[in-house]
Amino acid sequence: MRSFLAASILIALLSGCASGPLIDTTYQSRSQGSRVTFLILHYTALDFAKSLRTLTEDEVSSHYLVNDDPPVVYRLVDEWRRANHAGVSAWAGLNQLNATSIGIEIVNPGYRDTAEGRVWASYRGAQIDAVVALVKDIVARHDIRPDRILGHSDIAPQRKQDPGPRFPWKRLADEGLIPWPDPARVSAREAVYRDRLPDVAWFQQKLAQHGFTVPRTGQLDRETSNVIAAFQMKYRQDRFDGLPDAETAALLDVLVAMAAGR
Ligand SMILES: [Zn+2]
């Protein structure tokens, strides 16, 4: 009996050597969670063929690519592996978000500059339906917090504008996926700020509390203006000039208060 047991152990050890260490998964820790804590949305600024070639053959990549017509969702990188979509990035004091995020690239041309000014391309309804379904599925499986479903422009506002001012963030809010400022509260705060607009230092503080990386200079420098524009592109899409105003102050104030449970 003893020799039979010894032989069994020996065989197990030998087979272990051949195919990696033997792992017993009988027990599971209660304290654990997904390594994926951010979901980042992008537009490709390219047509489908060029998007696919870039994301599969170049140095950049994303977990998902959502075509416009037909609205097919392609998985290019397994969710458990790292893709290179975020670059130098930060949110709420966390940085290098490639390591902790899933990236979704949406086929959309972005913008083109014309004699009448910059024209941003809209998204097709069926494509957005596909994005929403994908986001819901990923968020449920990885238990991603609503305030960590973000655009590339949120996490890299000095470099990036995607998914741009035509991306329907409100639709994601209506689906219960992201926080959205309550309109009645925004109106009330806007009335207050219309009489007395907070100074730039106030905006910088609130933008930082919201999650952005923003200078704390008290000056409306280029960097601060870029962050304000990124915020406006999401929550006030008809005007994103990067200038502080009463409505932007109200939107920001209400969002920060909501995040703090107030
Ligand atoms: Zn991007």
Side-chain angles (χ1 to χ4, degrees):
M1 182 65 189
R2 182 168 293 173
S3 64
F4 172 74
L5 196 63
S8 300
I9 291 168
L10 185 63
I11 288 164
L13 286 171
L14 286 172
S15 63
C17 289
S19 58
L22 283 172
I23 308 290
D24 187 326
T25 57
T26 307
Y27 311 104
Q28 292 288 299
S29 297
R30 186 174 62 84
S31 177
Q32 58 174 298
S34 176
R35 292 173 189 267
V36 176
T37 54
F38 286 90
L39 182 53
I40 308 300
L41 301 173
H42 307 255
Y43 63 50
T44 60
L46 297 168
D47 65 23
F48 174 70
K50 287 177 181 158
S51 300
L52 184 62
R53 193 160 63 238
T54 299
L55 292 168
T56 55
E57 296 178 14
D58 289 349
E59 293 303 309
V60 293
S61 57
S62 70
H63 296 87
Y64 293 95
L65 173 64
V66 183
N67 193 8
D68 50 356
D69 189 18
V72 176
V73 177
Y74 296 85
R75 182 162 55 225
L76 308 177
V77 177
D78 188 274
E79 288 185 10
W80 301 107
R81 292 177 63 77
R82 172 183 171 131
N84 293 316
H85 61 96
V88 175
S89 51
W91 187 255
L94 301 165
N95 54 31
Q96 304 303 339
L97 301 183
N98 276 333
T100 53
S101 67
I102 285 176
I104 299 175
E105 289 276 3
I106 307 166
V107 174
N108 175 283
Y111 63 81
R112 60 194 170 84
D113 287 322
T114 71
E116 289 76 42
R118 186 160 287 184
V119 178
W120 297 82
S122 57
Y123 288 85
R124 298 171 65 93
Q127 187 188 30
I128 293 301
D129 291 343
V131 170
V132 167
L134 178 61
V135 169
K136 277 185 175 174
D137 179 55
I138 294 168
V139 163
R141 285 186 291 102
H142 293 278
D143 199 20
I144 297 173
R145 284 166 39 173
D147 59 338
R148 292 188 175 182
I149 301 171
L150 299 164
H152 203 184
S153 54
D154 291 318
I155 62 169
Q158 305 306 332
R159 300 186 299 116
K160 297 293 177 180
Q161 294 180 294
D162 60 306
R166 304 295 289 274
F167 183 80
W169 288 105
K170 180 67 164 57
R171 166 83 189 275
L172 265 59
D174 291 342
E175 300 276 355
L177 289 167
I178 63 168
W180 200 258
D182 174 56
R185 290 182 67 182
V186 171
S187 296
R189 295 310 297 164
E190 189 181 346
V192 173
Y193 293 137
R194 220 178 271 287
D195 286 340
R196 202 168 68 88
L197 187 66
D199 61 17
V200 174
W202 181 95
F203 275 89
Q204 290 174 333
Q205 184 195 358
K206 292 286 180 184
L207 289 163
Q209 286 176 322
H210 183 58
F212 284 106
T213 298
V214 60
R216 305 297 289 271
T217 54
Q219 303 296 317
L220 187 62
D221 41 42
R222 164 65 59 188
E223 289 75 16
T224 301
S225 190
N226 286 343
V227 175
I228 292 174
F231 176 81
Q232 292 167 332
M233 266 196 277
K234 194 170 189 176
Y235 295 106
R236 211 264 311 270
Q237 298 186 317
D238 57 346
R239 187 153 55 92
F240 46 95
D241 51 15
L243 298 174
D245 58 49
E247 188 184 12
T248 303
L251 289 163
L252 194 48
D253 200 10
V254 170
L255 274 166
V256 170
M258 283 169 55
R262 287 185 271 117

